[in-house]
Amino acid sequence: MTDLIATTPGLYPLPDWAKDELSELKGHQKGDLISGDEGPEIVDAYQRARNDVVDAQTDAGLDRVVEGQLRWDDMLAHPLTVHDNVETGGIVRYYDNNNFYRDPQVQDELTASGDVAAELESVDAGPQQAVLPGPYSLSDLATDEHYGDEAEFLDAIADYLAGEIDAFPSHETLFLLEPSLVENAPDDDTQELASEAIDRVADATDADVVVHTYWGAIPEKTYAYLMDADVDAIGFDFVTDADESLYNINEYGTKNQIAMGVVDGQNTLVESPETIRDRADWVLENAHEEFDQAYLTANTELFYLPVNKFEDKLQALGDAATLAEVDA
């Protein structure tokens, strides 16, 4: 019997009160906010907002609690945009969505900063799930002005992320978010390197590692290489392209755990627990695999949503996992 685990990929919308308070505070603070040089009032506001989203997950009955990544104004690029050896460039488009981030331009050696670890340490709830950009997506979103070679740059990003993980507090699960595997898939010369980079990052933790992909299905060859990475689960976007994602699973196999993106992280329509359960059951019934664990999750990050819809979707995910346990 498959154990269903309700969770999310993180990157939450700021609570409404926090948007107003932080906008005013940042407008008055002198200093380089981009590099993480935040005054005590801003730090306190983020902590109170973090407590709010942690409480929302706990109240919804989620099985894994994420920190929420509320400081990640630049989305997946954030861990680099706050790095001392990275210059934050102008605003560029975030994949094919109407969202934007600052271009992180790596100008010197990437060393571990401890920024994400500090966020995780401020969470007093669990079991905790850490969230990071995957090495391929982070290298795809960044500009290399130091290493000078695509393979060397990808290696450096992987080593940097592994160094960040070394400082993490205890965590049950790590979600590596890799939408670039779908949106800008590696070419023939990079596919194996991308898989090896993911493998190296995963090796830095004893937690279960989920490589979560979204905005479509992973191209076949890229997926075949991803299967070589020693991770515990691959995440699939069953909202955007369910049939092709299922094809990959049945054609090339998958891990003995799976993450199922069965809630739309970009649409304000709130799925019922029964709808979420139906989508999950469709995967479990049609996949030619038996899974020890299946993560019920949103297909994408949730920062696109209004706060009330975001909270409703958390509740629906928690309720869906409970329904599954009752019916199993």
Side-chain angles (χ1 to χ4, degrees):
M1 184 172 63
T2 302
D3 182 21
L4 296 188
I5 299 171
T7 189
T8 67
L11 283 155
Y12 289 168
L14 269 171
D16 292 333
W17 68 262
K19 289 179 185 176
D20 296 336
E21 186 171 328
L22 285 163
S23 177
E24 183 176 354
L25 288 170
K26 289 181 179 182
H28 287 91
Q29 178 176 320
K30 296 179 181 179
D32 186 3
L33 290 171
I34 294 175
S35 68
D37 182 17
E38 299 157 341
E41 290 180 321
I42 291 177
V43 171
D44 176 68
Y46 273 122
Q47 183 59 47
R48 286 183 282 120
R50 185 179 292 118
N51 292 342
D52 280 1
V53 299
V54 167
D55 288 346
Q57 293 171 82
T58 302
D59 292 345
L62 296 193
D63 299 299
R64 299 288 185 273
V65 174
V66 301
E67 180 268 335
Q69 297 74 47
L70 301 175
R71 290 175 58 238
W72 292 29
D73 292 342
D74 296 305
M75 315 307 171
L76 299 184
H78 168 85
L80 287 184
T81 60
V82 298
H83 195 284
D84 288 343
N85 293 336
V86 176
E87 183 72 24
T88 47
I91 302 296
V92 294
R93 191 164 184 168
Y94 188 62
Y95 297 112
D96 63 349
N97 299 285
N98 290 322
N99 292 276
F100 300 85
Y101 71 101
R102 286 162 292 200
D103 174 27
Q105 300 167 4
V106 178
Q107 299 186 331
D108 206 339
E109 182 179 0
L110 289 174
T111 55
S113 69
D115 183 81
V116 178
E119 293 177 331
L120 296 176
E121 288 169 353
S122 67
V123 174
D124 184 18
Q128 188 168 180
Q129 176 176 295
V131 174
L132 279 175
Y136 178 72
S137 292
L138 191 55
S139 66
D140 179 44
L141 293 174
T143 300
D144 173 27
E145 296 184 352
H146 173 68
Y147 293 94
D149 176 81
E150 182 181 8
E152 186 178 350
F153 185 51
L154 182 55
D155 282 346
I157 293 286
D159 289 342
Y160 157 71
L161 290 172
E164 293 293 306
I165 292 169
D166 285 341
F168 282 7
S170 178
H171 51 288
E172 190 80 13
T173 314
L174 170 64
F175 261 48
L176 293 176
L177 306 185
E178 282 282 19
S180 286
L181 290 177
V182 174
E183 285 287 299
N184 188 24
D187 59 25
D188 289 347
D189 295 331
T190 311
Q191 287 168 339
E192 185 175 3
L193 297 175
S195 177
E196 291 172 351
I198 291 168
D199 190 89
R200 190 177 314 142
V201 175
D203 192 51
T205 179
D206 293 330
D208 285 348
V209 177
V210 179
V211 179
H212 189 49
T213 62
Y214 44 98
W215 292 325
I218 313 170
E220 288 184 58
K221 195 170 182 181
T222 299
Y223 181 79
Y225 274 105
L226 180 58
M227 277 295 294
D228 291 336
D230 187 15
V231 299
D232 298 279
I234 296 172
F236 301 88
D237 183 348
F238 288 109
V239 173
T240 304
D241 197 340
D243 290 337
E244 194 65 25
S245 294
L246 183 66
Y247 170 82
N248 280 339
I249 292 170
N250 288 340
E251 183 70 16
Y252 300 101
T254 195
K255 309 296 182 177
N256 62 7
Q257 300 181 34
I258 186 174
M260 298 187 288
V262 288
V263 166
D264 194 332
Q266 297 176 277
N267 193 315
T268 56
L269 178 65
V270 178
E271 299 87 345
S272 69
E274 291 78 15
T275 295
I276 296 170
R277 169 68 188 274
D278 286 346
R279 290 175 179 175
D281 285 349
W282 179 84
V283 177
L284 296 176
E285 290 167 3
N286 288 282
H288 302 162
E289 300 283 342
E290 296 288 336
F291 300 106
D292 295 333
Q293 290 187 152
Y295 296 87
L296 298 183
T297 187
N299 63 330
T300 69
E301 313 101 318
L302 292 161
F303 67 86
Y304 305 96
L305 299 172
V307 173
N308 62 330
K309 299 295 185 180
F310 149 74
E311 291 177 343
D312 288 345
K313 293 207 177 208
L314 295 185
Q315 189 65 58
L317 276 166
D319 290 346
T322 302
L323 278 178
E325 289 174 3
V326 170
D327 293 349

